[in-house]
Amino acid sequence: MAPPTFMGLSGRPLSLAVSTVATTGFLLFGYDQGVMSGIITAPAFNNLFTATKDNSTMQGLVTAIYEIGCLFGAILILMTGDLLGRRKGMILGGIVMIIGVIIQVTAERNATPLAQFVVGRVITGVGNGINTSTIPTYQAECSKTTNRGLLICIEGGVIAFGTLIAYWLDYGASYGPDNLVWRFPIAFQIIFGLFVSVGSIFLPESPRWLLTHERYEEAERVIAALRGYEVSSEETKLEKAVIMDSIRASGFVGRKTTPFKALFTNGKTQHFRRMMLGASSQLMQQVGGCNAVIYYFPILFEKSIGQSHNISLLLGGVNMIVYSIFATVSWFIIERAGRRKLFLWGTVGQMMSMVITFACLIPGTPAAAKGAAVGLFTYIASFGATWLPLPWLYPAEVNPIKTRAKANAVSTCSNWLFNFLIVMVTPIMITNIGWGTYLFFAVVNACFLPVIYFFYPETANRSLEEIDIIFAKGHVENMTYVRAAKELPYLTDAEVEQEALSYGLITSTSRDDTLNTVEKRISRSGSEDEVVNEHGLEAGFGDGINTAPQAGKDEEIVR
């Protein structure tokens, strides 16, 4: 019997289709980050929306109101995502974005164009907030443990490529008639929205979501299709049993969603601390100044460095090429360098870049201002290689199974809330304090260093169980969690179980119950389809860390 199919695909081709649709959603995310940068000061745009002409406050509001919509979309998924499902969430997000775009591009002079445009921006933002809260979860839950981390870093890189497309489309459209200058770049994102919405219709639902909702036969079919198994095969049954095991261990049996109060517990599991670590990474990504550069790069060149609008757009496009190139760096070093080092290196790079920028703007001469351009280029290079992907990866790793979905949604809300704040105040800061804007961001980045150094434990090359052990060890032995991560050796699954028993994370009774759930084990050393432990597999539709047994470990037990 052949494996079941979706769109006529199964196994690796189906997984590739899932990744393609998910990645397109983040391409759209990046496109929206950059599209207004070349439009907001364009004469054709300002002549129609007269309130934005030479008004930095209104320019900031029109640009930043989109982030409020994104925040509302993230909150919507926080409240209803577990009930709605991943696939339907993506379909809804794409449709809402398309509706918002249509409202924006149909604004006319003889009505109230600015009000209509702002409403369209908010609605488009709601759709993007839905997508950015849903797509990473869906991608994770349909991926193998061994490639989730890489996939999220690729998604981070694709954000940069989306911004690159927006910048160059803005530049090309600037040579056209007035309507083309701003309507076409905004309307172009409908293509991405259609791809995400229509593509999601034909994709399978997340198998973990199906099992959580007790739709067992559908889940078996999806598992078999994604892995290329037969529905009745032992591999399919085992994978289903392992996921169900993780759902039981997480307290999800018979419950459609995790209660909010679970986010605020501490003890050995440290749910609240782990949620705050993930949310703080998203906060720091935004207040570090990234969107002050991404959104307003052409404006920075016009007002701070004194270039023409055309040259500023051109340099903005070149800057996005640099951004995209450096965004791919993380794909190759994320596991080798580790999260902490990349956080620290990126922060130092961003801080020094802002120092260069404000120092070169102080003299107020054209020659010195060129040095500021160098600072902006080095900033975006540092950000693209480090802070762009890490805040999307770190919350998914550091949060445990029970609270991961909601904690990640909280992190996304943090992202959009502070995204709005920075996008709103940046043009006002540039107008009123000039080079002091860059001094402010340099100081803010300096403040990140002690927070990361003292509070962020390393998660690279750790399975989710090991991260649970890190926090249990720190709590029980009354040591910092950074130190606990350093002192804890890399553990086999058997050693993880022993440590979990010793720290009281599980009991011998629950362990025996779990072992009885899965009576068979599959040992295929060296195979890329190696079955992993219960947390690794759930988050493997979840955690991004390779927890597959190494060759020779024939005694691996699926828990």
Side-chain angles (χ1 to χ4, degrees):
M1 182 185 298
T5 63
F6 290 83
M7 299 188 297
L9 304 174
S10 65
R12 184 179 179 85
L14 179 58
S15 297
L16 181 60
V18 168
S19 297
T20 301
V21 172
T23 302
T24 302
F26 267 69
L27 187 71
L28 176 56
F29 173 21
Y31 185 90
D32 279 319
Q33 275 198 313
V35 72
M36 286 301 294
S37 63
I39 293 174
I40 194 66
T41 59
F45 184 84
N46 297 146
N47 289 338
L48 179 59
F49 306 101
T50 54
T52 64
K53 190 171 184 178
D54 299 323
N55 187 330
S56 59
T57 301
M58 189 56 66
Q59 289 176 2
L61 176 63
V62 171
T63 304
I65 198 68
Y66 169 78
E67 270 69 43
I68 292 298
C70 293
L71 176 62
F72 289 153
I75 292 173
L76 178 65
I77 292 301
L78 177 64
M79 303 296 293
T80 66
D82 285 337
L83 298 175
L84 182 64
R86 319 310 188 208
R87 191 173 63 91
K88 289 180 181 178
M90 292 165 62
I91 295 170
L92 176 64
I95 291 173
V96 171
M97 289 196 75
I98 292 170
I99 293 172
V101 169
I102 292 172
I103 293 173
Q104 290 177 72
V105 299
T106 54
E108 295 292 345
R109 189 182 302 275
N110 58 359
T112 53
L114 185 60
Q116 179 176 334
F117 189 82
V118 168
V119 169
R121 288 280 291 167
V122 172
I123 293 175
T124 303
V126 171
N128 195 50
I130 292 171
N131 281 342
T132 54
S133 297
T134 304
I135 289 174
T137 303
Y138 178 71
Q139 173 74 86
E141 292 180 346
C142 291
S143 302
K144 295 177 183 177
T145 303
T146 53
N147 62 8
R148 180 182 177 275
L150 174 62
L151 288 173
I152 290 183
C153 284
I154 290 175
E155 285 180 354
V158 166
I159 294 173
F161 281 98
T163 308
L164 172 68
I165 294 171
Y167 263 74
W168 283 107
L169 208 61
D170 282 350
Y171 181 71
S174 69
Y175 288 96
D178 286 358
N179 281 330
L180 183 72
V181 168
W182 67 273
R183 294 187 199 269
F184 178 71
I186 293 175
F188 187 78
Q189 59 195 294
I190 291 177
I191 296 175
F192 301 132
L194 284 173
F195 190 88
V196 172
S197 293
V198 176
S200 298
I201 293 174
F202 301 100
L203 292 178
E205 180 55 89
S206 155
R208 184 182 182 277
W209 184 87
L210 291 171
L211 288 172
T212 301
H213 286 252
E214 301 178 344
R215 292 161 61 173
Y216 302 119
E217 292 183 1
E218 292 178 66
E220 289 177 351
R221 182 169 179 263
V222 172
I223 291 170
L226 287 170
R227 300 294 178 257
Y229 302 148
E230 294 181 3
V231 174
S232 59
S233 69
E234 288 297 321
E235 292 92 341
T236 301
K237 293 178 181 178
L238 179 59
E239 190 152 327
K240 173 192 169 184
V242 170
I243 298 172
M244 285 302 302
D245 225 16
S246 68
I247 293 171
R248 295 187 189 99
S250 302
F252 275 122
V253 174
R255 306 178 70 172
K256 306 300 183 184
T257 185
T258 302
F260 282 98
K261 65 181 181 181
L263 296 172
F264 300 97
T265 58
N266 283 301
K268 297 172 185 177
T269 55
Q270 291 291 305
H271 288 168
F272 180 70
R273 172 183 288 269
R274 295 161 80 168
M275 177 185 71
M276 292 304 296
L277 285 173
S280 66
S281 69
Q282 291 279 22
L283 182 154
M284 289 190 286
Q285 182 196 59
Q286 296 304 314
V287 300
C290 65
N291 281 314
V293 177
I294 293 171
Y295 275 91
Y296 294 114
F297 194 93
I299 299 175
L300 303 183
F301 265 81
E302 284 186 57
K303 295 187 176 181
S304 298
I305 303 178
Q307 298 296 323
S308 68
H309 181 71
N310 182 64
I311 294 298
S312 296
L313 280 178
L314 182 62
L315 290 173
V318 173
N319 194 39
M320 288 304 102
I321 293 176
V322 174
Y323 181 35
S324 300
I325 292 172
F326 277 87
T328 64
V329 170
S330 64
W331 304 355
F332 306 102
I333 64 175
I334 187 67
E335 297 298 345
R336 297 179 183 178
R339 285 44 161 168
R340 275 173 55 84
K341 287 183 179 178
L342 286 185
F343 271 130
L344 292 169
W345 293 346
T347 302
V348 171
Q350 291 181 173
M351 178 184 68
M352 296 307 299
S353 297
M354 287 299 185
V355 169
I356 292 171
T357 301
F358 89 77
C360 290
L361 290 176
I362 291 175
T365 63
K370 293 178 180 178
V374 174
L376 294 178
F377 277 105
T378 57
Y379 177 93
I380 208 66
S382 298
F383 173 77
T386 56
W387 275 98
L388 174 63
L390 285 173
W392 297 103
L393 175 60
Y394 198 67
E397 292 184 328
V398 78
N399 285 300
I401 287 174
K402 184 172 183 179
T403 61
R404 179 181 300 150
K406 278 189 164 53
N408 282 348
V410 169
S411 297
T412 305
C413 289
S414 171
N415 179 290
W416 290 118
L417 180 62
F418 287 94
N419 193 319
F420 168 78
L421 174 66
I422 296 302
V423 173
M424 183 67 196
V425 303
T426 294
I428 301 172
M429 294 174 67
I430 293 171
T431 299
N432 292 291
I433 62 176
W435 58 263
T437 304
Y438 309 98
L439 172 60
F440 169 78
F441 286 123
V443 172
V444 169
N445 275 276
C447 294
F448 296 167
L449 292 172
V451 176
I452 297 166
Y453 186 82
F454 290 110
F455 295 104
Y456 276 45
E458 181 59 72
T459 59
N461 300 311
R462 297 281 192 183
S463 69
L464 182 60
E465 295 95 335
E466 288 179 89
I467 297 172
D468 288 339
I469 299 299
I470 288 171
F471 285 93
K473 178 181 176 68
H475 177 77
V476 173
E477 299 183 12
N478 195 27
M479 65 171 63
T480 69
Y481 300 99
V482 172
R483 179 184 170 191
K486 289 181 179 179
E487 292 187 358
L488 186 71
Y490 292 108
L491 306 174
T492 64
D493 288 335
E495 291 169 338
V496 167
E497 188 172 33
Q498 292 172 2
E499 294 292 332
L501 283 167
S502 67
Y503 287 118
L505 286 176
I506 61 174
T507 64
S508 59
T509 301
S510 65
R511 179 194 60 182
D512 293 340
D513 290 342
T514 303
L515 289 173
N516 290 333
T517 301
V518 182
E519 299 177 350
K520 293 185 178 181
R521 65 193 181 197
I522 297 176
S523 180
R524 300 190 304 275
S525 300
S527 169
E528 68 173 6
D529 292 324
E530 193 68 52
V531 175
V532 300
N533 50 64
E534 54 116 352
H535 285 288
L537 184 58
E538 185 279 326
F541 301 359
D543 80 38
I545 302 301
N546 183 358
T547 55
Q550 298 174 2
K553 291 186 179 179
D554 293 330
E555 295 302 314
E556 177 71 8
I557 298 177
V558 178
R559 298 188 292 113

